[in-house]
Amino acid sequence: MLRLMFEFLTRRHAAPAETPLSEVRFTREDLFVLLGGCDTSMLANGEYTIDFDQLERRGTDPWRRDMAARLSPTGLVDAEGTPSDELAEALYPLNKPGIAVNDAPRPQRRGERERRTVSAVFYDGSATAIRALPGRRAGFRLVPLAEGDWDAEYRSLVSCPPLRNHPSGMLRFAKSDNRIGESIAGGDAAWLNEHFSVPTSDAAGMEEFVAAVRANDPSLSKMRWFVVSDYRGCDFEMSLGFSIPQMNAPGFAKRTSLVFPEYGVAFSDAWAKPSPHSEPADFAAVEFLSEGTLLDFLLKPYPYPRELRDSERG
C-alpha cells in the first residue's frame, strides 16, 4: 500500500520491456525526472551536480521529453516518460529514507572528484543499486537486488569477497582518532588495544589480526571501504519542488567502515547524536564479526555509545 502513495507508480504499464533493464543507460537528468529529485545517496544527483540555474529557467519538462524519446523504445517508459512496472519497482527505494550504502565517501564540494562507483539503498524490503559507468558523462545503470540474496548481489557489484566470520565476537567503542588508521597500517596492536580498552581475553585476537595484515597485506589492498547512512525517520526536503535528502531524524547515524573481509574485522569512524536534541558527535568502533554477512554488518547502524555518553557526563 505504501508504494501507491508515490506519483511514479500511479500510471504504470505492465508490458515487458524490450531491452533488459541491466543494459539501459540512464543520465543524471533521466534519474532526476524519474525519482522526482535526488537519489537518497546523491550519487546521480546532489547539490554539487544539479544545474540549479537551468532547472529554474526551464524546469524538468525538457529532461522528461528527452528521456521519453530515448528510453521509450526500450519498453521501460512509455511515450510520456511513465515508467513500466519493472522500472518503477527498481526506482522505488532510491528516493526513500532508507539505509544507503556507498563504496566511498560523497564529495564535499563542487568539482571534487567522485570516487563512488556503487550506491545502494535499502528500504521497506526493497533494495536497488545505482552503478556509475566509466567516463565523465557515461551515465548510470540500475541494479535491483533480489531479496534473500542481497549480500551476494551487492558484493558482486563492489568486487568484495564473502565475509569470513571471526572466531570470537567483540564490539568496542572509543573516541575518534586519526591514529587508528595509522596503527592498523603500522602494526601497532598495543595502541589499538589500549585505545579501545579491549578486554584481556580479546587482546590476543587484535594482535593476531594486526600481525596477519602486516604480513600478508601491508598495503591494505584487501581492505574494503564503505560509507553507511541511516536515513530512516528523516523527512526529505520538498520546498523547491523536488526531493532533497535530509539528515534530520533524531536517530540519523552515519559511519565510514574499513572492513577486512578475510579476517572478519571492521573499524568504523561513526557519527550520531548522543541524545535526540543534541548535536551529532564522532566516535570510533572496532568489531570482530563472528556471525552474519557483510550486509548484515553494514545494515546495522551504530547509535551513539552509552558508555561514551556516560563518561562525558561524569
Side-chain angles (χ1 to χ4, degrees):
M1 292 299 294
L2 182 60
R3 302 186 186 194
L4 298 177
M5 296 171 59
F6 297 92
E7 180 179 356
F8 66 77
L9 288 178
T10 59
R11 297 179 60 203
R12 301 184 297 177
H13 49 102
E18 298 177 17
T19 304
L21 176 60
S22 61
E23 298 179 8
V24 175
R25 180 185 72 89
F26 296 87
T27 66
R28 295 187 189 279
E29 293 79 9
D30 294 341
L31 292 175
F32 190 91
V33 170
L34 288 165
L35 293 171
C38 302
D39 52 296
T40 300
S41 290
M42 292 189 279
L43 173 60
N45 289 288
E47 67 266 49
Y48 304 126
T49 58
I50 298 172
D51 188 337
F52 287 102
D53 291 336
Q54 180 181 354
L55 189 61
E56 184 175 0
R57 289 195 309 270
R58 304 176 64 190
T60 60
D61 286 345
W63 293 350
R64 181 177 293 279
R65 289 193 297 268
D66 178 70
M67 181 266 293
R70 284 186 301 100
L71 297 185
S72 58
T74 69
L76 289 170
V77 302
D78 62 17
E80 297 178 351
T82 304
S84 67
D85 281 357
E86 179 186 11
L87 179 55
E89 185 173 353
L91 293 167
Y92 174 64
L94 290 176
N95 61 354
K96 307 297 188 303
I99 298 179
V101 181
N102 293 272
D103 62 348
R106 181 163 62 92
Q108 298 301 304
R109 61 182 181 276
R110 188 175 293 275
E112 182 180 344
R113 184 171 72 90
E114 176 64 82
R115 291 184 289 167
R116 294 176 294 173
T117 62
V118 176
S119 172
V121 182
F122 301 81
Y123 177 81
D124 190 31
S126 297
T128 298
I130 300 178
R131 186 171 195 172
L133 300 174
R136 183 173 178 82
R137 295 192 61 81
F140 305 88
R141 288 220 166 94
L142 302 184
V143 186
L145 306 183
E147 189 171 8
D149 204 21
W150 283 354
D151 181 71
E153 294 190 0
Y154 177 76
R155 286 189 296 97
S156 71
L157 291 174
V158 296
S159 301
C160 182
L163 180 69
R164 183 181 298 175
N165 293 138
H166 195 277
S168 61
M170 181 191 74
L171 173 60
R172 304 294 297 176
F173 297 107
K175 293 289 188 180
S176 294
D177 196 307
N178 291 334
R179 288 174 291 179
I180 294 172
E182 297 170 1
S183 297
I184 298 171
D188 194 346
W191 187 90
L192 291 168
N193 278 330
E194 180 180 359
H195 183 69
F196 285 101
S197 301
V198 174
T200 303
S201 58
D202 293 308
M206 181 72 79
E207 293 166 1
E208 292 169 3
F209 159 72
V210 170
V213 169
R214 191 165 177 78
N216 302 320
D217 188 26
S219 64
L220 305 184
S221 61
K222 297 179 181 179
M223 180 189 74
R224 293 294 186 271
W225 193 356
F226 301 99
V227 180
V228 182
S229 300
D230 183 6
Y231 287 94
R232 291 176 298 178
C234 294
D235 294 318
F236 287 1
E237 177 65 47
M238 289 294 297
S239 63
L240 297 178
F242 55 86
S243 176
I244 303 175
Q246 301 291 309
M247 303 177 292
N248 54 16
F252 176 84
K254 181 178 179 179
R255 62 183 162 98
T256 298
S257 291
L258 308 180
V259 182
F260 296 81
E262 182 178 353
Y263 303 105
V265 176
F267 291 84
S268 299
D269 191 38
W271 186 83
K273 292 184 177 182
S275 63
H277 304 293
S278 65
E279 291 298 316
D282 297 328
F283 60 96
V286 59
E287 188 164 1
F288 291 174
L289 304 166
S290 60
E291 59 184 16
T293 66
L294 173 68
L295 265 186
D296 288 334
F297 164 67
L298 294 177
L299 296 180
K300 178 185 65 178
Y302 287 148
Y304 197 82
R306 177 180 297 177
E307 53 266 41
L308 293 184
R309 188 170 61 243
D310 292 344
S311 67
E312 290 159 2
R313 289 173 178 169

